[in-house]
Coordinates of all heavy atoms in Angstrom, one line a residue:
H1 N 106.2 189.7 122.7 CA 105.3 188.7 123.0 C 103.8 189.1 122.8 O 102.9 188.3 122.7 CB 105.5 188.3 124.5 CG 106.8 187.8 124.8 ND1 107.2 186.5 124.3 CD2 107.9 188.3 125.4 CE1 108.5 186.3 124.7 NE2 108.9 187.3 125.3
V2 N 103.6 190.4 122.8 CA 102.2 190.9 122.6 C 102.2 191.9 121.4 O 103.1 192.8 121.4 CB 101.7 191.6 123.9 CG1 100.3 192.2 123.7 CG2 101.7 190.7 125.0
A3 N 101.2 191.8 120.6 CA 101.1 192.8 119.5 C 100.1 193.9 119.9 O 99.0 193.6 120.2 CB 100.6 192.1 118.2
L4 N 100.6 195.1 119.9 CA 99.8 196.2 120.3 C 99.2 196.8 119.0 O 99.8 197.2 118.1 CB 100.6 197.3 121.0 CG 99.9 198.6 121.4 CD1 98.8 198.3 122.4 CD2 100.9 199.6 121.9
L5 N 97.8 197.0 119.1 CA 97.1 197.6 117.9 C 96.4 198.8 118.5 O 95.5 198.7 119.3 CB 96.1 196.5 117.4 CG 95.3 197.0 116.2 CD1 96.1 197.3 115.0 CD2 94.2 196.0 115.9
V6 N 96.7 199.9 118.0 CA 96.1 201.2 118.4 C 95.2 201.6 117.2 O 95.7 201.9 116.1 CB 97.1 202.3 118.8 CG1 96.4 203.5 119.2 CG2 98.0 201.8 119.9
G7 N 93.9 201.7 117.4 CA 93.0 202.0 116.3 C 92.5 203.4 116.5 O 92.5 204.0 117.5
S8 N 91.9 203.9 115.4 CA 91.3 205.2 115.4 C 89.8 205.1 115.3 O 89.3 203.9 115.3 CB 91.8 206.0 114.2 OG 91.4 205.4 113.0
D9 N 89.1 206.1 115.1 CA 87.6 206.1 114.9 C 87.2 205.3 113.7 O 86.1 204.9 113.5 CB 87.0 207.5 115.0 CG 86.9 208.0 116.4 OD1 86.9 207.2 117.3 OD2 86.8 209.3 116.5
M10 N 88.2 205.2 112.7 CA 87.9 204.5 111.5 C 87.6 203.0 111.8 O 87.0 202.3 111.0 CB 89.0 204.6 110.5 CG 89.1 206.0 109.8 SD 90.4 206.1 108.6 CE 90.1 204.8 107.5
A11 N 88.2 202.5 112.9 CA 88.0 201.1 113.3 C 86.5 200.8 113.6 O 86.2 199.6 113.8 CB 88.9 200.7 114.5
K12 N 85.7 201.8 113.7 CA 84.3 201.6 113.9 C 83.6 201.0 112.7 O 82.6 200.3 112.8 CB 83.6 202.9 114.3 CG 84.0 203.4 115.7 CD 83.3 204.7 116.0 CE 83.7 205.3 117.3 NZ 83.0 206.6 117.6
Q13 N 84.1 201.4 111.5 CA 83.5 200.9 110.3 C 84.3 200.0 109.4 O 83.8 199.3 108.6 CB 83.1 202.2 109.4 CG 82.1 203.1 110.0 CD 82.6 204.2 110.7 OE1 83.8 204.5 110.7 NE2 81.8 204.9 111.5
S14 N 85.6 200.0 109.6 CA 86.5 199.2 108.7 C 87.5 198.4 109.4 O 87.8 198.6 110.6 CB 87.2 200.2 107.7 OG 88.1 201.0 108.4
M15 N 88.0 197.4 108.7 CA 89.0 196.5 109.3 C 90.4 196.9 108.7 O 90.6 196.9 107.5 CB 88.6 195.1 108.9 CG 89.6 194.0 109.4 SD 89.3 193.8 111.2 CE 88.1 192.6 111.1
T16 N 91.3 197.1 109.6 CA 92.7 197.4 109.2 C 93.4 196.2 108.8 O 93.2 195.1 109.5 CB 93.4 198.2 110.3 OG1 94.8 198.4 109.9 CG2 93.4 197.5 111.6
T17 N 94.3 196.2 107.8 CA 95.0 195.0 107.5 C 96.0 194.6 108.5 O 96.4 193.4 108.6 CB 95.7 195.2 106.1 OG1 96.6 196.3 106.2 CG2 94.8 195.4 105.0
K18 N 96.4 195.5 109.4 CA 97.3 195.2 110.5 C 96.8 194.1 111.4 O 97.5 193.3 111.9 CB 97.6 196.5 111.3 CG 98.7 196.4 112.3 CD 100.1 196.0 111.7 CE 100.7 197.1 110.9 NZ 102.0 196.7 110.4
V19 N 95.5 194.0 111.5 CA 94.8 193.0 112.4 C 95.2 191.6 111.8 O 95.5 190.7 112.6 CB 93.3 193.2 112.4 CG1 92.6 192.1 113.2 CG2 92.9 194.5 113.0
Y20 N 95.1 191.5 110.5 CA 95.4 190.2 109.9 C 96.9 189.8 110.0 O 97.2 188.7 110.3 CB 95.0 190.1 108.4 CG 93.5 190.4 108.2 CD1 93.1 191.5 107.4 CD2 92.5 189.6 108.8 CE1 91.8 191.7 107.2 CE2 91.2 189.9 108.6 CZ 90.8 190.9 107.8 OH 89.5 191.2 107.6
E21 N 97.7 190.8 109.9 CA 99.2 190.6 110.1 C 99.4 190.1 111.5 O 100.2 189.1 111.7 CB 99.9 191.9 109.8 CG 100.0 192.3 108.4 CD 100.7 193.6 108.2 OE1 101.7 193.9 108.9 OE2 100.3 194.4 107.3
Y22 N 98.8 190.8 112.5 CA 99.1 190.4 113.9 C 98.5 189.0 114.2 O 99.1 188.2 114.9 CB 98.4 191.4 114.8 CG 99.2 192.7 115.0 CD1 100.3 193.0 114.2 CD2 98.7 193.7 115.8 CE1 101.0 194.2 114.4 CE2 99.4 194.9 116.0 CZ 100.5 195.1 115.2 OH 101.2 196.3 115.4
A23 N 97.3 188.7 113.6 CA 96.7 187.4 113.8 C 97.6 186.3 113.2 O 97.8 185.2 113.8 CB 95.3 187.3 113.3
G24 N 98.2 186.6 112.1 CA 99.1 185.6 111.4 C 100.4 185.4 112.2 O 101.0 184.3 112.0
M25 N 100.8 186.3 113.0 CA 102.0 186.2 113.7 C 101.8 185.2 114.9 O 102.8 184.7 115.5 CB 102.5 187.5 114.3 CG 103.0 188.5 113.2 SD 103.5 190.1 113.7 CE 103.3 190.3 115.5
G26 N 100.5 185.0 115.3 CA 100.2 184.1 116.4 C 100.5 184.6 117.7 O 100.7 183.9 118.7
K27 N 100.6 185.9 117.8 CA 100.9 186.6 119.1 C 99.6 187.1 119.7 O 98.6 187.3 119.0 CB 101.8 187.8 118.9 CG 103.2 187.4 118.5 CD 104.1 188.6 118.5 CE 105.5 188.2 118.0 NZ 106.4 187.9 119.0
L28 N 99.6 187.2 121.0 CA 98.4 187.8 121.7 C 98.3 189.3 121.2 O 99.2 190.0 121.1 CB 98.6 187.8 123.2 CG 97.5 188.5 124.0 CD1 96.2 187.7 123.9 CD2 98.0 188.7 125.5
I29 N 97.0 189.7 120.8 CA 96.8 191.0 120.3 C 96.2 191.8 121.5 O 95.2 191.4 122.1 CB 95.8 191.0 119.1 CG1 96.4 190.2 118.0 CG2 95.6 192.4 118.7 CD1 95.4 189.9 116.9
F30 N 96.8 193.0 121.8 CA 96.2 193.9 122.7 C 95.8 195.1 121.9 O 96.6 195.8 121.3 CB 97.2 194.3 123.8 CG 96.8 195.4 124.7 CD1 95.5 195.4 125.2 CD2 97.6 196.3 125.2 CE1 95.0 196.4 126.1 CE2 97.2 197.3 126.1 CZ 95.9 197.3 126.6
A31 N 94.4 195.3 121.8 CA 93.9 196.3 120.9 C 93.2 197.4 121.7 O 92.4 197.2 122.5 CB 92.9 195.7 119.9
L32 N 93.6 198.6 121.4 CA 93.0 199.8 121.9 C 92.1 200.4 120.8 O 92.6 201.2 120.0 CB 94.1 200.8 122.3 CG 95.1 200.3 123.4 CD1 96.2 201.3 123.5 CD2 94.4 200.1 124.7
V33 N 90.9 199.9 120.7 CA 90.0 200.2 119.6 C 88.6 200.4 120.1 O 88.2 199.8 121.0 CB 90.0 199.2 118.5 CG1 91.4 199.0 117.8 CG2 89.6 197.8 119.0
P34 N 87.8 201.3 119.3 CA 86.4 201.4 119.7 C 85.6 200.2 119.2 O 86.1 199.3 118.5 CB 86.0 202.7 118.9 CG 86.9 202.7 117.7 CD 88.2 202.1 118.2
D35 N 84.3 200.2 119.6 CA 83.4 199.1 119.1 C 83.4 199.1 117.6 O 83.4 200.1 116.9 CB 82.0 199.3 119.6 CG 81.9 199.1 121.1 OD1 82.7 198.4 121.7 OD2 80.9 199.5 121.7
G36 N 83.4 197.9 117.0 CA 83.4 197.7 115.6 C 84.0 196.4 115.1 O 84.2 195.5 116.0
P37 N 84.2 196.2 113.8 CA 84.7 194.9 113.3 C 86.1 194.5 113.9 O 86.3 193.4 114.1 CB 84.7 195.1 111.8 CG 84.7 196.6 111.6 CD 84.0 197.2 112.8
V38 N 87.0 195.5 114.1 CA 88.3 195.2 114.6 C 88.1 194.6 116.0 O 88.7 193.6 116.4 CB 89.2 196.4 114.6 CG1 90.5 196.1 115.3 CG2 89.4 196.9 113.2
K39 N 87.3 195.2 116.8 CA 87.1 194.7 118.2 C 86.5 193.3 118.2 O 87.0 192.4 118.9 CB 86.1 195.7 119.0 CG 85.8 195.2 120.3 CD 84.8 196.0 121.0 CE 84.5 195.4 122.4 NZ 83.3 196.0 123.0
D40 N 85.5 193.1 117.3 CA 84.9 191.8 117.2 C 85.9 190.7 116.8 O 86.0 189.6 117.4 CB 83.8 191.8 116.2 CG 82.6 192.7 116.7 OD1 82.5 193.0 117.9 OD2 81.8 193.1 115.8
F41 N 86.8 191.0 115.8 CA 87.7 190.1 115.3 C 88.8 189.7 116.4 O 89.1 188.6 116.6 CB 88.4 190.6 114.1 CG 89.5 189.7 113.5 CD1 89.1 188.7 112.7 CD2 90.8 189.8 113.8 CE1 90.0 187.8 112.1 CE2 91.8 189.0 113.3 CZ 91.4 188.0 112.4
V42 N 89.3 190.8 117.1 CA 90.3 190.5 118.1 C 89.8 189.7 119.2 O 90.4 188.8 119.8 CB 90.9 191.9 118.6 CG1 91.8 191.6 119.8 CG2 91.7 192.6 117.4
E43 N 88.5 190.0 119.6 CA 87.9 189.2 120.7 C 87.7 187.7 120.3 O 87.9 186.8 121.1 CB 86.6 189.8 121.1 CG 86.7 191.1 121.9 CD 85.4 191.8 122.2 OE1 84.4 191.5 121.6 OE2 85.4 192.6 123.2
K44 N 87.4 187.5 119.0 CA 87.3 186.1 118.5 C 88.6 185.4 118.6 O 88.7 184.2 118.7 CB 86.7 186.1 117.1 CG 85.2 186.3 117.1 CD 84.7 186.3 115.6 CE 83.3 186.7 115.6 NZ 82.8 186.7 114.2
C45 N 89.7 186.2 118.4 CA 91.0 185.6 118.4 C 91.6 185.5 119.9 O 92.7 185.2 120.1 CB 92.0 186.5 117.7 SG 91.7 186.5 115.9
S46 N 90.7 185.7 120.8 CA 91.1 185.6 122.3 C 92.1 186.7 122.6 O 92.9 186.6 123.5 CB 91.7 184.3 122.6 OG 90.8 183.2 122.4
G47 N 92.0 187.8 121.9 CA 92.8 189.0 122.2 C 92.2 189.8 123.3 O 91.1 189.5 123.8
V48 N 92.9 190.8 123.7 CA 92.4 191.7 124.8 C 92.1 193.0 124.1 O 92.9 193.6 123.4 CB 93.5 191.9 125.9 CG1 93.0 192.8 126.9 CG2 93.9 190.5 126.4
V49 N 90.9 193.5 124.3 CA 90.4 194.7 123.7 C 89.9 195.7 124.8 O 89.2 195.3 125.7 CB 89.2 194.5 122.7 CG1 88.8 195.7 122.1 CG2 89.6 193.4 121.7
T50 N 90.3 197.0 124.6 CA 89.9 198.0 125.6 C 89.5 199.2 124.8 O 90.0 199.4 123.6 CB 90.9 198.4 126.6 OG1 92.1 199.0 126.0 CG2 91.4 197.2 127.4
D51 N 88.7 200.1 125.4 CA 88.4 201.4 124.8 C 89.7 202.2 124.9 O 90.3 202.3 126.0 CB 87.3 202.0 125.6 CG 86.8 203.4 125.1 OD1 87.7 204.1 124.6 OD2 85.6 203.7 125.2
P52 N 90.1 202.9 123.8 CA 91.4 203.6 123.9 C 91.3 204.8 124.8 O 92.4 205.4 125.2 CB 91.6 204.0 122.4 CG 90.3 203.9 121.8 CD 89.5 202.9 122.5
K53 N 90.2 205.2 125.2 CA 90.0 206.4 126.1 C 89.8 206.1 127.6 O 89.7 207.0 128.4 CB 88.9 207.3 125.6 CG 89.1 207.8 124.2 CD 88.0 208.6 123.6 CE 88.3 209.0 122.2 NZ 87.1 209.5 121.5
D54 N 89.7 204.8 127.9 CA 89.4 204.4 129.3 C 90.7 203.9 129.9 O 91.1 202.7 129.8 CB 88.4 203.3 129.2 CG 87.9 202.9 130.6 OD1 88.6 203.2 131.6 OD2 86.7 202.4 130.7
K55 N 91.4 204.8 130.7 CA 92.6 204.5 131.4 C 92.5 203.3 132.3 O 93.4 202.5 132.4 CB 93.2 205.7 132.1 CG 93.6 206.8 131.1 CD 94.1 208.0 131.9 CE 94.4 209.1 130.9 NZ 94.8 210.3 131.7
T56 N 91.4 203.3 133.1 CA 91.2 202.2 134.0 C 91.1 200.8 133.3 O 91.7 199.8 133.8 CB 89.9 202.5 134.9 OG1 90.0 203.8 135.4 CG2 89.7 201.4 135.9
Q57 N 90.4 200.8 132.2 CA 90.2 199.6 131.5 C 91.6 199.1 130.9 O 91.9 197.9 130.9 CB 89.2 199.8 130.3 CG 88.5 198.6 129.8 CD 87.5 199.0 128.7 OE1 87.9 199.5 127.7 NE2 86.3 198.7 129.0
I58 N 92.4 200.1 130.4 CA 93.7 199.8 129.9 C 94.6 199.2 131.0 O 95.3 198.2 130.7 CB 94.3 201.0 129.2 CG1 93.5 201.4 128.0 CG2 95.8 200.7 128.8 CD1 93.9 202.8 127.4
K59 N 94.6 199.8 132.1 CA 95.4 199.3 133.2 C 95.0 197.8 133.6 O 95.8 197.0 133.8 CB 95.3 200.2 134.5 CG 96.0 201.5 134.3 CD 95.8 202.3 135.6 CE 96.4 203.7 135.5 NZ 96.2 204.5 136.7
A60 N 93.7 197.6 133.7 CA 93.2 196.3 134.0 C 93.6 195.2 133.0 O 94.0 194.1 133.3 CB 91.7 196.3 134.2
A61 N 93.5 195.6 131.7 CA 93.9 194.7 130.6 C 95.4 194.4 130.7 O 95.8 193.2 130.5 CB 93.6 195.4 129.3
L62 N 96.2 195.4 131.0 CA 97.7 195.1 131.1 C 98.0 194.2 132.2 O 98.8 193.3 132.1 CB 98.4 196.5 131.3 CG 98.5 197.3 130.0 CD1 99.1 198.7 130.3 CD2 99.4 196.6 128.9
R63 N 97.2 194.3 133.3 CA 97.4 193.4 134.5 C 97.1 192.0 134.0 O 97.8 191.0 134.4 CB 96.6 193.8 135.6 CG 97.2 195.0 136.4 CD 96.4 195.3 137.7 NE 96.9 196.5 138.3 CZ 96.3 197.7 138.3 NH1 95.1 197.8 137.7 NH2 96.9 198.8 138.8
I64 N 96.0 191.8 133.3 CA 95.6 190.5 132.8 C 96.6 189.9 131.9 O 97.0 188.7 132.0 CB 94.2 190.6 132.1 CG1 93.1 190.9 133.1 CG2 93.9 189.3 131.3 CD1 91.8 191.3 132.5
I65 N 97.1 190.7 131.0 CA 98.1 190.2 130.0 C 99.4 189.8 130.8 O 99.9 188.7 130.5 CB 98.5 191.3 129.0 CG1 97.3 191.6 128.1 CG2 99.7 191.0 128.2 CD1 97.4 192.8 127.2
V66 N 99.9 190.5 131.7 CA 101.1 190.2 132.4 C 100.8 188.9 133.3 O 101.7 188.0 133.3 CB 101.5 191.4 133.3 CG1 102.6 190.9 134.2 CG2 102.0 192.5 132.4
A67 N 99.7 188.8 133.9 CA 99.4 187.7 134.8 C 99.2 186.4 134.0 O 99.5 185.3 134.5 CB 98.1 188.0 135.5
N68 N 98.8 186.5 132.7 CA 98.5 185.3 131.9 C 99.6 185.0 130.9 O 99.4 184.3 129.9 CB 97.2 185.4 131.2 CG 96.1 185.4 132.2 OD1 96.1 184.6 133.1 ND2 95.1 186.3 132.0
C69 N 100.8 185.6 131.0 CA 101.9 185.4 130.1 C 102.2 183.9 129.8 O 102.5 183.5 128.7 CB 103.2 186.0 130.5 SG 103.2 187.8 130.3
H70 N 102.1 183.1 130.8 CA 102.4 181.6 130.6 C 101.3 180.9 129.8 O 101.5 179.8 129.4 CB 102.6 181.0 132.0 CG 101.4 181.0 132.9 ND1 101.1 182.2 133.6 CD2 100.5 180.1 133.1 CE1 99.9 181.9 134.3 NE2 99.6 180.7 134.0
N71 N 100.2 181.5 129.6 CA 99.1 180.8 128.8 C 99.1 181.2 127.4 O 98.1 180.9 126.7 CB 97.7 181.2 129.4 CG 97.5 180.5 130.8 OD1 98.1 179.5 131.1 ND2 96.8 181.2 131.7
R72 N 100.1 181.8 126.9 CA 100.1 182.3 125.5 C 100.0 181.2 124.5 O 99.3 181.4 123.4 CB 101.4 183.0 125.2 CG 101.4 184.5 125.6 CD 102.5 185.3 124.9 NE 102.5 186.5 125.5 CZ 103.3 186.8 126.6 NH1 103.9 185.9 127.2 NH2 103.3 188.0 127.0
S73 N 100.5 180.0 124.7 CA 100.5 179.0 123.7 C 99.0 178.6 123.4 O 98.7 178.3 122.3 CB 101.3 177.8 124.1 OG 100.8 177.2 125.3
K74 N 98.2 178.5 124.4 CA 96.8 178.2 124.3 C 96.1 179.3 123.4 O 95.3 179.0 122.5 CB 96.1 178.1 125.6 CG 94.6 177.7 125.5 CD 94.0 177.6 126.9 CE 92.5 177.4 126.8 NZ 91.9 177.3 128.1
T75 N 96.4 180.5 123.7 CA 95.8 181.7 122.9 C 96.3 181.6 121.5 O 95.5 181.8 120.6 CB 96.2 183.0 123.6 OG1 95.8 183.0 124.9 CG2 95.6 184.2 122.8
N76 N 97.6 181.3 121.3 CA 98.1 181.3 119.9 C 97.4 180.3 119.0 O 97.2 180.5 117.8 CB 99.6 181.0 119.9 CG 100.4 182.2 120.5 OD1 99.8 183.3 120.6 ND2 101.6 182.0 120.8
L77 N 97.0 179.1 119.6 CA 96.3 178.1 118.8 C 95.0 178.7 118.3 O 94.6 178.5 117.2 CB 96.1 176.9 119.6 CG 97.4 176.1 120.0 CD1 97.0 174.9 120.9 CD2 98.0 175.5 118.7
N78 N 94.3 179.4 119.2 CA 93.0 180.0 118.8 C 93.2 181.0 117.7 O 92.4 181.1 116.7 CB 92.3 180.5 120.0 CG 90.8 180.9 119.7 OD1 90.3 180.5 118.7 ND2 90.3 181.7 120.6
I79 N 94.2 181.9 117.9 CA 94.4 182.9 116.9 C 94.8 182.3 115.5 O 94.3 182.7 114.5 CB 95.6 183.9 117.4 CG1 95.1 184.7 118.6 CG2 96.1 184.7 116.2 CD1 96.2 185.5 119.2
S80 N 95.6 181.3 115.5 CA 96.0 180.7 114.3 C 94.8 180.0 113.5 O 94.7 180.1 112.3 CB 97.1 179.6 114.5 OG 98.2 180.2 115.1
S81 N 93.9 179.4 114.3 CA 92.8 178.7 113.6 C 91.9 179.7 113.0 O 91.3 179.5 112.0 CB 92.1 177.8 114.6 OG 91.5 178.6 115.6
I82 N 91.7 180.9 113.7 CA 90.8 181.9 113.1 C 91.5 182.6 112.0 O 90.8 182.9 110.9 CB 90.4 182.9 114.2 CG1 89.5 182.2 115.2 CG2 89.7 184.1 113.7 CD1 89.2 183.0 116.5
A83 N 92.7 182.9 112.1 CA 93.5 183.6 111.1 C 93.5 182.8 109.8 O 93.6 183.4 108.7 CB 94.9 184.0 111.5
S84 N 93.5 181.5 109.8 CA 93.6 180.7 108.6 C 92.4 181.0 107.7 O 92.5 180.8 106.5 CB 93.7 179.2 108.9 OG 92.5 178.8 109.5
H85 N 91.3 181.4 108.2 CA 90.1 181.7 107.4 C 90.3 183.0 106.6 O 89.6 183.2 105.6 CB 88.9 181.8 108.2 CG 88.5 180.6 108.9 ND1 88.0 179.5 108.3 CD2 88.6 180.3 110.2 CE1 87.8 178.5 109.1 NE2 88.1 179.0 110.4
Y86 N 91.3 183.8 106.9 CA 91.5 185.0 106.3 C 92.8 185.0 105.4 O 93.2 186.1 104.9 CB 91.6 186.2 107.3 CG 90.3 186.4 108.0 CD1 90.1 185.7 109.2 CD2 89.3 187.1 107.5 CE1 88.9 185.9 109.9 CE2 88.1 187.3 108.1 CZ 87.9 186.7 109.4 OH 86.7 186.8 110.0
E87 N 93.4 183.9 105.1 CA 94.5 183.8 104.3 C 94.0 184.0 102.8 O 92.9 183.7 102.5 CB 95.1 182.4 104.4 CG 95.9 182.2 105.7 CD 96.4 180.8 105.9 OE1 96.2 179.9 105.0 OE2 97.1 180.6 106.8
R88 N 94.9 184.5 102.0 CA 94.6 184.9 100.6 C 93.9 183.7 99.9 O 92.9 183.9 99.2 CB 95.8 185.3 99.9 CG 95.6 185.9 98.5 CD 96.9 186.3 97.9 NE 97.6 187.2 98.7 CZ 97.9 188.4 98.4 NH1 97.5 188.9 97.3 NH2 98.6 189.2 99.2
Q89 N 94.5 182.5 100.0 CA 93.9 181.4 99.2 C 92.5 181.1 99.7 O 91.6 180.9 98.8 CB 94.8 180.1 99.5 CG 94.3 179.0 98.6 CD 95.3 177.8 98.7 OE1 96.2 177.8 99.6 NE2 95.1 176.8 97.9
A90 N 92.2 181.1 101.0 CA 90.8 180.9 101.5 C 89.9 182.0 101.0 O 88.7 181.7 100.6 CB 90.8 180.7 103.0
L91 N 90.3 183.2 101.1 CA 89.4 184.3 100.6 C 89.2 184.3 99.1 O 88.1 184.5 98.7 CB 90.1 185.6 101.0 CG 90.1 185.9 102.5 CD1 90.9 187.2 102.8 CD2 88.7 186.0 103.1
T92 N 90.2 183.9 98.3 CA 90.0 183.8 96.9 C 89.0 182.7 96.6 O 88.2 182.9 95.7 CB 91.4 183.5 96.2 OG1 92.3 184.5 96.6 CG2 91.2 183.4 94.7
F93 N 89.1 181.6 97.3 CA 88.1 180.5 97.1 C 86.7 180.9 97.4 O 85.8 180.7 96.6 CB 88.5 179.3 97.9 CG 87.6 178.1 97.8 CD1 87.6 177.3 96.6 CD2 86.7 177.8 98.8 CE1 86.7 176.3 96.5 CE2 85.8 176.8 98.6 CZ 85.8 176.0 97.5
Q94 N 86.6 181.7 98.5 CA 85.2 182.2 98.9 C 84.7 183.1 97.8 O 83.5 183.1 97.5 CB 85.3 182.9 100.2 CG 85.5 181.9 101.4 CD 85.7 182.7 102.7 OE1 85.5 183.9 102.8 NE2 86.2 182.0 103.7
M95 N 85.5 184.0 97.3 CA 85.1 184.9 96.3 C 84.7 184.2 95.0 O 83.7 184.5 94.4 CB 86.2 186.0 96.0 CG 85.8 187.0 94.9 SD 87.1 188.0 94.4 CE 87.2 189.1 95.8
S96 N 85.5 183.2 94.6 CA 85.2 182.4 93.5 C 83.8 181.7 93.6 O 83.0 181.7 92.6 CB 86.2 181.3 93.3 OG 85.9 180.4 92.2
E97 N 83.5 181.2 94.8 CA 82.2 180.5 95.0 C 81.1 181.6 94.9 O 80.0 181.3 94.3 CB 82.2 179.9 96.4 CG 83.0 178.6 96.4 CD 82.8 177.9 97.7 OE1 82.6 178.6 98.8 OE2 82.8 176.6 97.7
L98 N 81.3 182.7 95.5 CA 80.3 183.8 95.4 C 80.0 184.2 94.0 O 78.9 184.4 93.6 CB 80.7 185.0 96.3 CG 79.8 186.1 96.4 CD1 78.5 185.7 97.1 CD2 80.5 187.3 97.1
L99 N 81.1 184.4 93.2 CA 80.9 184.8 91.8 C 80.2 183.7 91.0 O 79.4 184.0 90.1 CB 82.3 185.2 91.2 CG 82.9 186.5 91.7 CD1 84.3 186.6 91.2 CD2 82.1 187.7 91.4
N100 N 80.5 182.5 91.2 CA 79.8 181.4 90.6 C 78.4 181.4 90.9 O 77.5 181.2 90.0 CB 80.5 180.0 90.9 CG 81.8 179.8 90.3 OD1 82.1 180.4 89.3 ND2 82.6 178.9 90.9
K101 N 78.0 181.6 92.1 CA 76.6 181.6 92.5 C 75.9 182.8 91.8 O 74.8 182.7 91.4 CB 76.4 181.7 94.0 CG 76.8 180.5 94.7 CD 76.7 180.6 96.2 CE 77.1 179.4 97.0 NZ 77.1 179.6 98.4
A102 N 76.6 184.0 91.8 CA 76.0 185.2 91.1 C 75.8 184.9 89.7 O 74.8 185.3 89.1 CB 76.9 186.4 91.4
T103 N 76.7 184.3 89.0 CA 76.6 183.9 87.6 C 75.4 183.0 87.3 O 74.7 183.2 86.3 CB 77.9 183.3 87.0 OG1 79.0 184.2 87.3 CG2 77.9 183.1 85.6
V104 N 75.3 182.0 88.1 CA 74.1 181.1 88.0 C 72.8 181.9 88.1 O 71.9 181.7 87.3 CB 74.2 180.0 89.0 CG1 72.9 179.2 89.0 CG2 75.4 179.1 88.7
K105 N 72.7 182.8 89.0 CA 71.5 183.5 89.2 C 71.2 184.4 88.0 O 70.1 184.6 87.6 CB 71.5 184.3 90.5 CG 71.3 183.5 91.7 CD 71.3 184.3 93.0 CE 71.1 183.4 94.2 NZ 70.8 184.1 95.4
I106 N 72.2 185.0 87.5 CA 72.1 186.0 86.4 C 71.6 185.2 85.1 O 70.8 185.6 84.4 CB 73.4 186.7 86.1 CG1 73.7 187.7 87.2 CG2 73.3 187.4 84.7 CD1 75.0 188.4 87.1
N107 N 72.2 184.0 84.9 CA 71.9 183.2 83.7 C 70.5 182.6 83.8 O 70.0 182.1 82.8 CB 72.9 182.1 83.5 CG 74.3 182.7 83.1 OD1 74.3 183.8 82.5 ND2 75.3 182.1 83.4
N108 N 69.9 182.5 85.0 CA 68.6 181.9 85.1 C 67.6 182.9 85.0 O 66.8 183.4 84.7 CB 68.4 181.1 86.5 CG 69.3 179.9 86.5 OD1 69.6 179.3 85.5 ND2 69.6 179.5 87.7

């Protein structure tokens, strides 16, 4: 029912593809990651994020997750709507638009 994402210090600078897989599953994401793009993305998906080194924060997050199990369907809708922006077709379209704009600027 919950996708657990354990990140390393690399999550401070880069986005792991596992985040997109979890978002696409439509499950609540519980992320143990430091500040950075992964944390920001999971929070936008209404996931639960804690510092991986803060035991008190992790315990509190687990209590919240267990207490709110019946509200998953509401969370899943938010995750699905955000994840759709990261599907391959949407990203390819965005890249195409960016390359078209760059080509126009170069030709002018």
